[in-house]
Amino acid sequence: MAHLPPRLAWGDVRRAVDAIGATTPVDIRDRAVLLLLATTGIRNGELRAIRLRDVDWRTGEVFVRRTKGKRDRVVPLLEETGAALADYILRARPKVASPFLFLSFTPPVAPFKFAAPVSRIVRKRLRHGGVELGRVAGVHLLRHSLATQLVGQRRPINEVADLLDHRSINTTALYVKVTTSQLAEVALPFPGGAA
């Protein structure tokens, strides 16, 4: 069990999302950010690169650019996440001519250029939701939590690898170690009966 990625129980992620209000533009944006990260497993840089035109409302997909593997991909947009994005675009997103989806509210209003502001949003919202945070508590914590959740739901490992944009199935296989409780279900009985 060495080198297990830090992760949250899915109930903690859900609690953090549910704790975000929908009254201020910042709350509406942060809820959309947290839901998109938690339900797609996209990386910080990928989130910052999303443009308004990258959300395909008809197919329920988001086009992801500038992946770590230097290739583009498509991730599914769950209904709740799509509703949060629509709420952000229609009610909270600053009315500026930027093509980027997520914008900072601090003047000058602009897209997030660096990873730190997005990581701060994640940490702030997790803490606000009552989640105890260790030393790793940024976007990757949500990514690891989603991967663990999907493996725990017995989703095919190659499906999880595709969603997370892993080039090697060995990278995704790390999450299989997290679900050790499932190993008991497939273990063969000890030869000769109980000791």
Side-chain angles (χ1 to χ4, degrees), residues 171-193:
T171 305
T172 314
L174 175 66
Y175 297 103
V176 175
K177 292 196 312 189
V178 175
T179 60
T180 54
S181 62
Q182 292 179 6
L183 293 177
E185 297 174 20
V186 297
L188 295 173
F190 183 75

Side-chain angles (χ1 to χ4, degrees), residues 88-135:
Y88 163 66
I89 292 167
L90 296 173
R91 294 192 324 136
R93 187 178 181 275
K95 307 295 185 227
V96 296
S98 173
F100 291 94
L101 176 61
F102 291 110
L103 304 173
S104 166
F105 286 104
T106 55
V109 173
F112 295 111
K113 291 182 182 176
F114 304 104
V118 177
S119 291
R120 277 195 297 273
I121 289 170
V122 171
R123 282 193 302 274
K124 172 186 168 186
R125 295 306 181 167
L126 289 173
R127 280 192 193 106
H128 181 74
V131 178
E132 291 288 325
L133 299 178
R135 60 179 184 80

